[in-house]
Each structure stands twice: as structure tokens, then as C-alpha cells.
Amino acid sequence: QVQLAESGGGLVQAGGSLRLSCKASGRAFGSYAMGWFRQAPGKEREFVAGISYSGGGWYYADSVKGRFTISRDNANNTLYLQMNNLKPEDTAVYYCNGLLTTYSDHVFPEDPPFGSWGLGTQVTVSS
């Protein structure tokens, strides 16, 4: 299985920004879609954003649309999540994972993650 390592989380005030990174091992990173998920205390893990293998397709949860931007650098096996205008409700542990897509260059929130979960990175947004 591909190893995933999330980083870039931290403590930020509401309205601030963070950029998360997800470094993947292996040489097939550019062959599959990737997604970001998050899990807040007492809640189920939820889909945040996904990006197709080429970067040509993407999808965002309504709660983050217009504030977050997902991108990828296939040459460096890295997935990013730029988070702007952060809100306290964004506080969660953020995870990345591969997505099993129905359509090769499109992603949807229903596309299931197929890999093992990493440790995630904590994002805390204060009021």
C-alpha cells in the first residue's frame, strides 16, 4: 500500500490561512485521484475535496467551496490543500487518501478512499 504523510496543520486564528501537504510514497501517485478528508471530535470523517489523477477534475464540499483549493504535484508525489478564510468549524484532523473513481478524470464525494489512513494533521482554528 502507498504510504501517506500529512503535514502543515497548526493553530490559526479565524480568517487565517494554512496549506496542508500530503506526501505519498511509490511511483503510481499520478495514476489515481486523491482526496482530503477531515474528522472533528465526536463526528464522522467527512469528505472535503478531491482531485482527479491529472488535476483536470475536482470537487469540493459545500462547506469549503470558495475557501479551499486542492492541487497536486505529480512529479513530487504531493497533494496540497490551500485553506483560506478559516473558520472555527474547520477545526479537525485532516487526512488524505487515494480515491477510487468511476470516471477517470472526474471526482465526486461518493468516490471511496481505497488506501490506508495516515496519521493526519491537526488543524485548529480559534475564534
Side-chain angles (χ1 to χ4, degrees), residues 28-35 50-58 71-75 78-79 99 101 103-107:
F29 177 78
S31 298
Y32 49 84
M34 294 288 294
I51 188 168
S52 68
Y53 76 96
S54 72
W58 58 89
S71 62
R72 64 191 300 161
D73 183 353
N74 287 347
T78 306
L79 177 74
L99 298 177
T101 60
Y103 301 99
S104 63
D105 209 25
H106 300 270
V107 293

Side-chain angles (χ1 to χ4, degrees), residues 26-103:
R27 301 183 63 177
F29 177 78
S31 298
Y32 49 84
M34 294 288 294
W36 285 99
F37 300 79
R38 66 187 182 187
Q39 187 168 23
K43 295 186 176 181
E44 295 183 351
R45 183 159 43 217
E46 64 175 345
F47 169 84
V48 175
I51 188 168
S52 68
Y53 76 96
S54 72
W58 58 89
Y59 201 94
Y60 296 93
D62 288 342
S63 59
V64 307
K65 191 174 297 183
R67 300 187 298 118
F68 291 10
T69 302
I70 189 171
S71 62
R72 64 191 300 161
D73 183 353
N74 287 347
N76 291 300
N77 285 9
T78 306
L79 177 74
Y80 301 100
L81 185 67
Q82 178 66 48
M83 306 185 295
N84 297 326
N85 192 24
L86 283 161
K87 303 176 180 180
E89 51 262 45
D90 295 319
T91 295
V93 178
Y94 284 71
Y95 303 89
C96 61
N97 212 328
L99 298 177
L100 182 62
T101 60
T102 301
Y103 301 99

